[in-house]
């Protein structure tokens, strides 16, 4: 009994933290989302997702984050396989190199891309030196996707790498012994065994990409409106917290879906990134 | 005004530990002095724009009065308003813009200033008190701090290459030859100001037809626009990224200085569009729930002193309405028409007024349509 109490006490700071900084703010969002300026109940904030501008920006955000998630997956999986095969020593050094940029602020790294992509930027400077015509790179959907892939790629690599490391070499060797070629091993052994990592990687890339407003602001020149930008505008400039909160609740549906996916495919938390 | 948002976020991101270090040390110094010099003269909660004061001025005020200043920052008027309205932190003195002062006044959030405690009000040029009447009809609630205009900054060399004459009016920002060369302001009222003024309407229009026309104009212009930005207009123009940009006049001193010190092979020039523009004023006000009203009045009076206003002008580089400070400037600066345009030449310019929550919502919806298009 005494032991149990002590254990619970240890959880106290965390409980306090999650109550104060997760649960209460979340409840406030729910309150704002379902009320209007006069404080009476309304569904209009939630339903406003159906207006053409909001629908369009949500759709665009889904599109761009889907594309970047796919690109991340295609880039990350082979990389994770290479890392695993390198064994712990050198592999972990590459992982370290990979995580290193994450120590720098995310905003700074995105602004650096601005400098690279600009009209008189580094990339166009190189093109000009090679006597190639300059490209309009910045302020396009492509630039936003690039920003998303660049910023969120580590979140795809790490969970997949973690899961791959847990696959026994004997399993792979057994597949080879039984005559499976590389493609067969990949699709029948590697992939099925790494699904928890893939799912958690997908959600860890898709959710932040869907809700971002900084990347689209900096690399899209504010010309491309994503749902995250709409919400940000409502809070900081429109002064309509109720609408902003309502739209955030709509976005939360997607977050819940991804949490459900993780719960289904990653029961033991194998695919967690860290 | 709205510039420097990113600079602020960036600085915060990079140097948060550093900054907080500075904060505590300067506060400590202030405390020590006030304790040693005289009796505790109380506190003053100041709420101001980022980079909108020379920090030495704060220390000087603390040393002189023994009042301990708690100084907080905001990025947009819209962000500041709910904070004051909710009253969880009671600020004693705040520096909002014109239309927001009107909104605060109409919603009964402001206290009348006792001008007997502000003798230095005589230093403020009466022309700006007159200008303030657009949002504070009886000059009871606000004391002007900075003002300025919004105009077009253009790159002479780039325009020559494109074969476009230098712009003289807002309508020039719809020239198809400038495709991908235009930087617009990324804020609702500023963007609509450009479109409304172009068609000869008031930038405070509440007429649905006029607003629709402005919205369509902005949608028509969007393919030509390189980006909607706020403070980056300055750096992008200096970097030669675009040919024309809509910019706050206060940035011009910095731009001119940079062009010179970087030895650029192009000139950046500023023009006030002939259709008229946004004449803006940021003024000090005292919220109704202020706990240290007299200290707030001391603060305002202090900032109205010519030497102090001059120090602030040199730091902020936005034009000062303080005629005492203006006279302290050297002649070249006084004749800099970009920074200090003749007020008489601004007859068709206007000051933003608060249009009510409903009209604000219309503006916001229309702006979203422009952006989503």
């Amino acid at each position: 009994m005494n032991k149990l109490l002590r254990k619970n006490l240890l959880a106290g700071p965390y409980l306090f933290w999650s109550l104060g900084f997760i649960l209460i703010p979340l409840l406030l969002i729910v309150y704002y989302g379902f009320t209007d300026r006069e404080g009476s109940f309304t569904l209009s904030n939630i339903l406003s997702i159906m207006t053409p501008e909001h629908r369009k920006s949500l759709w665009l955000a889904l599109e761009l984050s889907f594309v970047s998630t796919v690109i991340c997956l295609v880039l990350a999986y082979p990389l994770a396989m290479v890392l695993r095969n390198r064994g712990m020593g050198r592999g972990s050094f590459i992982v370290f190199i990979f995580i290193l940029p994450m120590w720098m602020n995310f905003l700074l790294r995105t602004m650096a891309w601005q400098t690279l992509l600009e009209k008189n930027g580094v990339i166009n400077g190189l093109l000009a030196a090679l006597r190639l015509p300059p490209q309009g790179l910045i302020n396009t959907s492509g630039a936003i996707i690039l920003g998303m892939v660049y910023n969120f790629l580590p979140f795809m690599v790490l969970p997949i790498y973690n899961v791959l490391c847990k696959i026994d070499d004997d399993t792979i060797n057994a597949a080879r012994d039984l005559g499976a070629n590389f493609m067969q091993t990949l699709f029948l052994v590697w992939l099925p065994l790494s699904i928890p990592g893939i799912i958690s990687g997908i959600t860890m890339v898709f959710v932040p990409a869907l809700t971002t407003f900084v990347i689209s602001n900096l690399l899209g020149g504010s010309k491309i409106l994503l749902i995250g930008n709409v919400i940000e505008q409502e809070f900081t400039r429109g002064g309509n917290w109720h609408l902003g909160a309502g739209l955030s609740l709509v976005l939360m549906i997607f977050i819940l879906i991804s949490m459900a996916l993780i719960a289904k495919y990653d029961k033991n938390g194998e695919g967690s990134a860290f | 005004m709205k510039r420097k948002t990113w600079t602020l976020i960036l600085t915060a991101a990079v140097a948060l530990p550093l900054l907080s270090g500075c904060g505590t040390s300067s506060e400590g110094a202030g405390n020590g002095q006030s304790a040693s010099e005289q009796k505790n003269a109380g506190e003053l909660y100041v709420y101001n724009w980022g980079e909108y004061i020379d920090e030495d001025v704060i220390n000087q005020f603390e040393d002189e009065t023994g009042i301990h200043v708690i100084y907080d920052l905001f990025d947009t008027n819209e962000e500041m308003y709910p904070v004051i309205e909710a009253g969880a932190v009671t600020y004693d003195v705040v520096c909002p813009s014109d239309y927001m002062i009107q909104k605060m006044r109409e919603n009964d959030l402001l206290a009348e200033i006792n001008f007997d405690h502000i003798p230095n009000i005589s230093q403020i040029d009466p022309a700006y008190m007159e200008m303030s009447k657009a949002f504070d009809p009886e000059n009871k609630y606000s004391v002007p701090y900075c003002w300025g205009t919004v105009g077009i900054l253009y790159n002479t060399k780039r325009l020559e290459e494109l074969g476009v004459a230098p712009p003289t009016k807002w309508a020039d920002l719809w020239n198809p030859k400038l495709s991908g060369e235009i930087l617009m302001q990324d804020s609702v009222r500023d963007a609509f100001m450009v479109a409304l003024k172009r068609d000869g309407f008031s930038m405070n229009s509440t007429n649905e037809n006029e607003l629709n026309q402005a919205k369509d104009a902005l949608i028509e212009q969007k393919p030509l626009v390189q980006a909607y930005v706020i403070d980056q207009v300055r750096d992008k123009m200096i970097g030669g990224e675009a040919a024309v940009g809509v910019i706050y006049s206060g940035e011009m001193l910095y731009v001119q200085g940079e062009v010179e010190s970087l030895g650029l092979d192009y000139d950046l020039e500023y023009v006030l569009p002939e259709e008229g523009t946004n004449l803006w004023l940021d003024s000090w006000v005292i919220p109704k729930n202020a706990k240290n009203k007299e200290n707030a009045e001391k603060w305002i009076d202090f900032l109205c002193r010519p030497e102090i206003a001059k120090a602030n002008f040199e730091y902020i580089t936005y034009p000062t309405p303080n005629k005492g400070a203006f006279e302290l400037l050297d002649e070249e600066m006084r004749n800099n028409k970009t920074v200090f345009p003749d007020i008489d030449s601004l007859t068709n310019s206007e000051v933003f007024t608060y249009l009510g929550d409903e009209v604000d919502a219309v503006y916001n919806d229309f702006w979203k349509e422009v952006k989503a298009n």
Side-chain angles (χ1 to χ4, degrees), chain A residues 191-233:
Chain A
L191 276 179
L193 284 175
S194 54
I195 279 183
I198 293 176
I199 296 291
S200 104
I202 287 177
T203 55
M204 284 179 71
V205 172
F206 188 73
V207 171
L210 182 66
T211 51
T212 186
F213 61 88
V214 178
I215 296 176
S216 45
N217 257 347
L218 289 179
L219 299 179
S222 291
K223 282 180 82 178
I224 295 160
L225 196 71
L226 303 185
I227 191 72
N229 298 91
V230 176
I231 295 172
E232 186 235 351
Q233 295 270 322

Short mmCIF file of all heavy atoms in Angstrom, two decimals, chain A residues 191-233:
data_model
loop_
_atom_site.label_atom_id
_atom_site.label_comp_id
_atom_site.label_asym_id
_atom_site.label_seq_id
_atom_site.Cartn_x
_atom_site.Cartn_y
_atom_site.Cartn_z
N LEU A 191 9.37 -5.83 -45.15
CA LEU A 191 8.23 -4.91 -45.03
C LEU A 191 7.22 -5.35 -43.97
O LEU A 191 6.88 -4.55 -43.10
CB LEU A 191 7.56 -4.72 -46.39
CG LEU A 191 8.21 -3.65 -47.28
CD1 LEU A 191 7.49 -3.53 -48.61
CD2 LEU A 191 8.24 -2.30 -46.57
N PRO A 192 6.74 -6.60 -44.01
CA PRO A 192 5.73 -6.97 -43.00
C PRO A 192 6.25 -6.80 -41.58
O PRO A 192 5.51 -6.39 -40.69
CB PRO A 192 5.46 -8.45 -43.30
CG PRO A 192 5.90 -8.66 -44.69
CD PRO A 192 7.00 -7.69 -44.96
N LEU A 193 7.56 -7.09 -41.39
CA LEU A 193 8.09 -6.99 -40.03
C LEU A 193 8.28 -5.54 -39.58
O LEU A 193 8.40 -5.27 -38.40
CB LEU A 193 9.42 -7.75 -39.94
CG LEU A 193 9.28 -9.27 -39.90
CD1 LEU A 193 10.65 -9.92 -39.93
CD2 LEU A 193 8.51 -9.71 -38.66
N SER A 194 8.35 -4.63 -40.55
CA SER A 194 8.65 -3.25 -40.14
C SER A 194 7.41 -2.36 -40.15
O SER A 194 7.53 -1.14 -40.01
CB SER A 194 9.74 -2.67 -41.04
OG SER A 194 9.37 -2.78 -42.38
N ILE A 195 6.24 -2.97 -40.31
CA ILE A 195 5.02 -2.14 -40.38
C ILE A 195 4.82 -1.22 -39.17
O ILE A 195 4.49 -0.05 -39.35
CB ILE A 195 3.78 -3.03 -40.63
CG1 ILE A 195 3.75 -3.32 -42.14
CG2 ILE A 195 2.49 -2.35 -40.19
CD1 ILE A 195 2.60 -4.10 -42.61
N PRO A 196 5.10 -1.67 -37.94
CA PRO A 196 4.91 -0.73 -36.83
C PRO A 196 5.74 0.54 -37.01
O PRO A 196 5.25 1.65 -36.78
CB PRO A 196 5.41 -1.52 -35.61
CG PRO A 196 5.30 -2.94 -36.00
CD PRO A 196 5.51 -3.01 -37.48
N GLY A 197 6.99 0.39 -37.46
CA GLY A 197 7.85 1.56 -37.66
C GLY A 197 7.35 2.43 -38.77
O GLY A 197 7.35 3.66 -38.66
N ILE A 198 6.88 1.80 -39.86
CA ILE A 198 6.39 2.58 -41.00
C ILE A 198 5.18 3.40 -40.57
O ILE A 198 5.09 4.60 -40.85
CB ILE A 198 6.04 1.66 -42.18
CG1 ILE A 198 7.32 1.01 -42.72
CG2 ILE A 198 5.34 2.44 -43.28
CD1 ILE A 198 7.07 0.02 -43.83
N ILE A 199 4.26 2.75 -39.88
CA ILE A 199 3.03 3.45 -39.48
C ILE A 199 3.37 4.62 -38.56
O ILE A 199 2.90 5.75 -38.74
CB ILE A 199 2.06 2.49 -38.74
CG1 ILE A 199 1.59 1.39 -39.68
CG2 ILE A 199 0.88 3.26 -38.17
CD1 ILE A 199 0.69 1.86 -40.79
N SER A 200 4.26 4.37 -37.60
CA SER A 200 4.53 5.48 -36.68
C SER A 200 5.33 6.56 -37.40
O SER A 200 5.13 7.75 -37.16
CB SER A 200 5.18 4.97 -35.40
OG SER A 200 6.53 5.25 -35.37
N GLY A 201 6.19 6.18 -38.35
CA GLY A 201 6.89 7.18 -39.16
C GLY A 201 5.91 8.01 -39.96
O GLY A 201 6.01 9.24 -40.02
N ILE A 202 4.94 7.33 -40.58
CA ILE A 202 3.97 8.05 -41.41
C ILE A 202 3.21 9.08 -40.58
O ILE A 202 3.07 10.23 -40.96
CB ILE A 202 2.98 7.06 -42.08
CG1 ILE A 202 3.70 6.30 -43.21
CG2 ILE A 202 1.77 7.79 -42.62
CD1 ILE A 202 2.85 5.26 -43.88
N THR A 203 2.75 8.67 -39.39
CA THR A 203 1.98 9.63 -38.60
C THR A 203 2.87 10.76 -38.10
O THR A 203 2.45 11.90 -38.04
CB THR A 203 1.30 8.96 -37.40
OG1 THR A 203 2.31 8.30 -36.65
CG2 THR A 203 0.29 7.94 -37.84
N MET A 204 4.14 10.40 -37.81
CA MET A 204 5.00 11.47 -37.28
C MET A 204 5.39 12.48 -38.35
O MET A 204 5.82 13.59 -38.04
CB MET A 204 6.25 10.88 -36.64
CG MET A 204 5.91 10.27 -35.29
SD MET A 204 7.33 9.54 -34.52
CE MET A 204 8.27 10.98 -34.09
N VAL A 205 5.27 12.10 -39.62
CA VAL A 205 5.53 13.05 -40.69
C VAL A 205 4.24 13.73 -41.13
O VAL A 205 4.17 14.94 -41.29
CB VAL A 205 6.19 12.35 -41.89
CG1 VAL A 205 6.29 13.29 -43.08
CG2 VAL A 205 7.57 11.87 -41.50
N PHE A 206 3.20 12.91 -41.26
CA PHE A 206 1.96 13.43 -41.83
C PHE A 206 1.30 14.48 -40.94
O PHE A 206 0.89 15.54 -41.42
CB PHE A 206 0.99 12.27 -42.08
CG PHE A 206 -0.24 12.66 -42.83
CD1 PHE A 206 -0.18 12.94 -44.18
CD2 PHE A 206 -1.46 12.78 -42.18
CE1 PHE A 206 -1.30 13.31 -44.89
CE2 PHE A 206 -2.59 13.16 -42.88
CZ PHE A 206 -2.51 13.42 -44.24
N VAL A 207 1.25 14.22 -39.65
CA VAL A 207 0.53 15.13 -38.77
C VAL A 207 1.19 16.52 -38.70
O VAL A 207 0.53 17.53 -38.92
CB VAL A 207 0.33 14.51 -37.37
CG1 VAL A 207 -0.22 15.53 -36.40
CG2 VAL A 207 -0.61 13.33 -37.46
N PRO A 208 2.50 16.59 -38.43
CA PRO A 208 3.08 17.94 -38.42
C PRO A 208 3.05 18.61 -39.80
O PRO A 208 2.90 19.83 -39.88
CB PRO A 208 4.52 17.73 -37.96
CG PRO A 208 4.78 16.28 -38.03
CD PRO A 208 3.47 15.58 -37.98
N ALA A 209 3.16 17.83 -40.87
CA ALA A 209 3.12 18.43 -42.20
C ALA A 209 1.74 19.00 -42.47
O ALA A 209 1.58 20.06 -43.07
CB ALA A 209 3.49 17.40 -43.26
N LEU A 210 0.73 18.31 -41.99
CA LEU A 210 -0.65 18.75 -42.23
C LEU A 210 -0.94 20.06 -41.51
O LEU A 210 -1.69 20.90 -41.99
CB LEU A 210 -1.61 17.65 -41.74
CG LEU A 210 -3.09 17.91 -41.95
CD1 LEU A 210 -3.40 17.92 -43.44
CD2 LEU A 210 -3.93 16.85 -41.26
N THR A 211 -0.35 20.23 -40.32
CA THR A 211 -0.72 21.37 -39.51
C THR A 211 0.26 22.53 -39.62
O THR A 211 0.05 23.56 -39.02
CB THR A 211 -0.81 20.97 -38.02
OG1 THR A 211 0.40 20.29 -37.69
CG2 THR A 211 -1.97 20.04 -37.78
N THR A 212 1.33 22.38 -40.39
CA THR A 212 2.35 23.43 -40.40
C THR A 212 1.82 24.73 -41.00
O THR A 212 0.98 24.72 -41.88
CB THR A 212 3.59 22.99 -41.19
OG1 THR A 212 4.59 24.01 -41.03
CG2 THR A 212 3.30 22.85 -42.67
N PHE A 213 2.30 25.84 -40.48
CA PHE A 213 2.02 27.11 -41.14
C PHE A 213 3.32 27.87 -41.39
O PHE A 213 3.39 28.74 -42.23
CB PHE A 213 1.04 27.95 -40.34
CG PHE A 213 1.52 28.34 -38.97
CD1 PHE A 213 2.26 29.48 -38.77
CD2 PHE A 213 1.21 27.54 -37.87
CE1 PHE A 213 2.71 29.82 -37.51
CE2 PHE A 213 1.66 27.89 -36.60
CZ PHE A 213 2.41 29.03 -36.42
N VAL A 214 4.36 27.51 -40.67
CA VAL A 214 5.63 28.22 -40.82
C VAL A 214 6.25 27.91 -42.17
O VAL A 214 6.68 28.81 -42.90
CB VAL A 214 6.59 27.83 -39.69
CG1 VAL A 214 7.92 28.52 -39.88
CG2 VAL A 214 6.00 28.18 -38.36
N ILE A 215 6.28 26.62 -42.53
CA ILE A 215 6.93 26.24 -43.78
C ILE A 215 6.21 26.88 -44.96
O ILE A 215 6.84 27.44 -45.86
CB ILE A 215 6.95 24.70 -43.92
CG1 ILE A 215 7.80 24.09 -42.80
CG2 ILE A 215 7.48 24.29 -45.28
CD1 ILE A 215 7.81 22.59 -42.80
N SER A 216 4.87 26.86 -44.94
CA SER A 216 4.15 27.43 -46.07
C SER A 216 4.29 28.95 -46.10
O SER A 216 4.26 29.56 -47.17
CB SER A 216 2.68 27.01 -46.04
OG SER A 216 2.15 27.13 -44.76
N ASN A 217 4.44 29.56 -44.93
CA ASN A 217 4.66 31.01 -44.92
C ASN A 217 6.02 31.38 -45.49
O ASN A 217 6.13 32.27 -46.31
CB ASN A 217 4.59 31.54 -43.48
CG ASN A 217 3.28 32.22 -43.19
OD1 ASN A 217 2.52 32.50 -44.12
ND2 ASN A 217 3.01 32.47 -41.95
N LEU A 218 7.04 30.66 -45.04
CA LEU A 218 8.40 31.03 -45.41
C LEU A 218 8.74 30.62 -46.84
O LEU A 218 9.35 31.38 -47.58
CB LEU A 218 9.41 30.41 -44.45
CG LEU A 218 9.43 31.01 -43.05
CD1 LEU A 218 10.44 30.28 -42.19
CD2 LEU A 218 9.76 32.48 -43.09
N LEU A 219 8.36 29.40 -47.21
CA LEU A 219 8.77 28.91 -48.52
C LEU A 219 7.68 29.10 -49.57
O LEU A 219 7.93 28.98 -50.76
CB LEU A 219 9.18 27.44 -48.43
CG LEU A 219 10.36 27.18 -47.50
CD1 LEU A 219 10.69 25.70 -47.44
CD2 LEU A 219 11.59 27.96 -47.95
N GLY A 220 6.46 29.40 -49.13
CA GLY A 220 5.37 29.61 -50.08
C GLY A 220 5.06 31.09 -50.28
O GLY A 220 4.16 31.44 -51.02
N GLY A 221 5.80 31.96 -49.60
CA GLY A 221 5.57 33.40 -49.75
C GLY A 221 4.16 33.82 -49.37
O GLY A 221 3.66 34.82 -49.86
N SER A 222 3.51 33.04 -48.50
CA SER A 222 2.13 33.32 -48.08
C SER A 222 1.15 33.34 -49.24
O SER A 222 0.05 33.84 -49.13
CB SER A 222 2.03 34.66 -47.34
OG SER A 222 2.66 34.58 -46.12
N LYS A 223 1.58 32.84 -50.40
CA LYS A 223 0.66 32.83 -51.53
C LYS A 223 -0.17 31.56 -51.52
O LYS A 223 -1.19 31.46 -52.17
CB LYS A 223 1.44 32.88 -52.86
CG LYS A 223 1.94 34.26 -53.20
CD LYS A 223 2.69 34.26 -54.48
CE LYS A 223 1.75 34.31 -55.67
NZ LYS A 223 2.51 34.35 -56.95
N ILE A 224 0.33 30.56 -50.81
CA ILE A 224 -0.35 29.27 -50.79
C ILE A 224 -0.92 29.08 -49.39
O ILE A 224 -0.19 29.03 -48.41
CB ILE A 224 0.63 28.16 -51.16
CG1 ILE A 224 1.06 28.39 -52.61
CG2 ILE A 224 0.00 26.79 -50.99
CD1 ILE A 224 2.34 27.71 -53.00
N LEU A 225 -2.24 29.01 -49.32
CA LEU A 225 -2.91 28.99 -48.03
C LEU A 225 -3.20 27.56 -47.62
O LEU A 225 -3.99 26.87 -48.26
CB LEU A 225 -4.21 29.79 -48.15
CG LEU A 225 -4.87 30.22 -46.87
CD1 LEU A 225 -4.06 31.31 -46.20
CD2 LEU A 225 -6.27 30.73 -47.14
N LEU A 226 -2.56 27.09 -46.56
CA LEU A 226 -2.87 25.77 -46.01
C LEU A 226 -3.75 25.96 -44.79
O LEU A 226 -3.85 27.06 -44.24
CB LEU A 226 -1.58 25.04 -45.61
CG LEU A 226 -0.54 24.84 -46.72
CD1 LEU A 226 0.61 24.00 -46.21
CD2 LEU A 226 -1.16 24.20 -47.94
N ILE A 227 -4.36 24.87 -44.34
CA ILE A 227 -5.30 24.99 -43.23
C ILE A 227 -4.60 25.53 -41.98
O ILE A 227 -5.18 26.29 -41.20
CB ILE A 227 -6.01 23.63 -42.96
CG1 ILE A 227 -7.17 23.80 -41.99
CG2 ILE A 227 -5.05 22.57 -42.47
CD1 ILE A 227 -8.35 24.51 -42.57
N GLY A 228 -3.32 25.18 -41.81
CA GLY A 228 -2.56 25.70 -40.68
C GLY A 228 -2.45 27.22 -40.73
O GLY A 228 -2.54 27.90 -39.72
N ASN A 229 -2.28 27.76 -41.94
CA ASN A 229 -2.20 29.20 -42.09
C ASN A 229 -3.53 29.86 -41.72
O ASN A 229 -3.56 30.91 -41.09
CB ASN A 229 -1.87 29.58 -43.53
CG ASN A 229 -0.53 29.06 -43.96
OD1 ASN A 229 -0.44 27.97 -44.50
ND2 ASN A 229 0.51 29.82 -43.68
N VAL A 230 -4.64 29.21 -42.14
CA VAL A 230 -5.95 29.77 -41.83
C VAL A 230 -6.10 29.89 -40.32
O VAL A 230 -6.50 30.93 -39.79
CB VAL A 230 -7.08 28.89 -42.42
CG1 VAL A 230 -8.44 29.42 -42.00
CG2 VAL A 230 -6.97 28.83 -43.93
N ILE A 231 -5.74 28.82 -39.61
CA ILE A 231 -5.90 28.81 -38.16
C ILE A 231 -5.00 29.87 -37.52
O ILE A 231 -5.42 30.65 -36.67
CB ILE A 231 -5.59 27.41 -37.59
CG1 ILE A 231 -6.62 26.41 -38.11
CG2 ILE A 231 -5.59 27.43 -36.08
CD1 ILE A 231 -6.32 24.97 -37.79
N GLU A 232 -3.76 29.92 -37.97
CA GLU A 232 -2.83 30.90 -37.42
C GLU A 232 -3.37 32.32 -37.62
O GLU A 232 -3.33 33.15 -36.72
CB GLU A 232 -1.47 30.76 -38.10
CG GLU A 232 -0.39 31.63 -37.50
CD GLU A 232 0.28 32.52 -38.51
OE1 GLU A 232 0.04 32.35 -39.73
OE2 GLU A 232 1.02 33.42 -38.10
N GLN A 233 -3.88 32.59 -38.83
CA GLN A 233 -4.41 33.92 -39.13
C GLN A 233 -5.56 34.27 -38.20
O GLN A 233 -5.67 35.40 -37.73
CB GLN A 233 -4.94 33.95 -40.57
CG GLN A 233 -3.88 33.77 -41.62
CD GLN A 233 -3.29 35.10 -42.04
OE1 GLN A 233 -4.00 36.07 -42.14
NE2 GLN A 233 -2.01 35.14 -42.26
#
